[in-house]
Amino acid sequence: WLAARVGVVVALIAVLGIGSFLLEKRSVVEAAGVQAPVFEVDPMWPKPLPNHWVMGWTVGVGVDAQDHVWVVHQASKLEPAELLGSQNHAAGCCVAAPPVLEFDQAGNLIGQWGGPGAGYDWLDPHGITIDYKGNVWIGGNASKDNQVLKFTQGGKFLMQIGHPERSKGSNDVENLNRPTKVVVDKAANEAYVSDGYGNKRVIV
């Protein structure tokens, strides 16, 4: 009787082992038929900018509810030879584009703004977020940048959190230190700021 039960158990283990092997082999075969997406660079996106504008380092990309693509760039990273039009208008080329650029899906420029203005301290931008209300948040990563800025999509200033060159470290709840990105939680209506170039935290 015992030998018969042992035989049944051994047979069950063998069947389970064979079944497991076959299932594993089937999953490998099925996985081999799945291909990851293939991406290609579109060298004509975005389309050439007007006014002989050129872009510096692209340091942030965001998408709004209308599927418009927002780009923020650092003109400070452009070389002198890339800015001939700024120094000599007769050169015919080239001038730094405004820091914030809005494109449609086809790559057409449909909006631009940014730079110093009344009521806020402009920064060397890093990261751009369009929140659920359509507001535009920008961080900054220059050594003096201890703030994030919030604007409407048309570039109207709404709010500044922090002030340049005032950071007192990661326990400072008034100022940031080279913040890089903002994400807004719709349910709580709270902004999460990655404050990690100068500080070591996420602040809400």
Side-chain angles (χ1 to χ4, degrees):
W1 175 82
L2 182 60
R5 291 195 67 177
V6 169
V8 169
V9 170
V10 169
L12 283 173
I13 291 173
V15 168
L16 289 173
I18 293 170
S20 175
F21 172 77
L22 291 175
L23 285 173
E24 183 179 330
K25 188 172 182 181
R26 177 181 171 186
S27 66
V28 169
V29 171
E30 288 177 350
V34 176
Q35 183 174 343
V38 177
F39 298 95
E40 295 181 11
V41 174
D42 182 352
M44 292 308 295
W45 201 106
K47 294 180 180 173
L49 299 175
N51 308 315
H52 303 291
W53 285 344
V54 291
M55 290 172 53
W57 288 8
T58 300
V59 289
V61 177
V63 179
D64 66 19
Q66 290 72 46
D67 287 332
H68 293 171
V69 179
W70 292 74
V71 173
V72 66
H73 74 101
Q74 294 179 344
S76 62
K77 300 301 192 293
L78 289 165
E79 298 292 333
E82 296 176 291
L83 296 171
L84 291 176
S86 300
Q87 303 155 15
N88 179 6
H89 295 292
C93 177
C94 305
V95 179
V100 179
L101 304 171
E102 178 188 4
F103 299 94
D104 64 17
Q105 288 191 37
N108 299 300
L109 181 68
I110 57 177
Q112 71 279 332
W113 49 267
Y120 61 89
D121 300 297
W122 187 248
L123 32 64
D124 204 20
H126 189 297
I128 187 167
T129 298
I130 299 83
D131 68 22
Y132 69 98
K133 293 181 179 178
N135 299 312
V136 180
W137 297 75
I138 301 172
N141 74 338
S143 59
K144 65 178 178 57
D145 292 336
N146 299 158
Q147 73 272 26
V148 293
L149 301 174
K150 178 182 176 183
F151 298 90
T152 67
Q153 290 191 10
K156 178 184 176 183
F157 171 65
L158 297 175
M159 182 173 65
Q160 176 172 322
I161 300 172
H163 299 280
E165 300 181 293
R166 293 195 193 172
S167 174
K168 298 177 182 67
S170 289
N171 293 324
D172 184 352
V173 297
E174 301 294 330
N175 300 286
L176 309 168
N177 195 340
R178 303 173 69 197
T180 58
K181 182 73 173 175
V182 179
V183 175
V184 177
D185 177 5
K186 179 179 180 179
N189 196 36
E190 294 176 337
Y192 289 71
V193 182
S194 60
D195 191 22
Y197 269 136
N199 290 329
K200 308 298 178 193
R201 64 179 178 179
V202 172
I203 187 167
V204 185

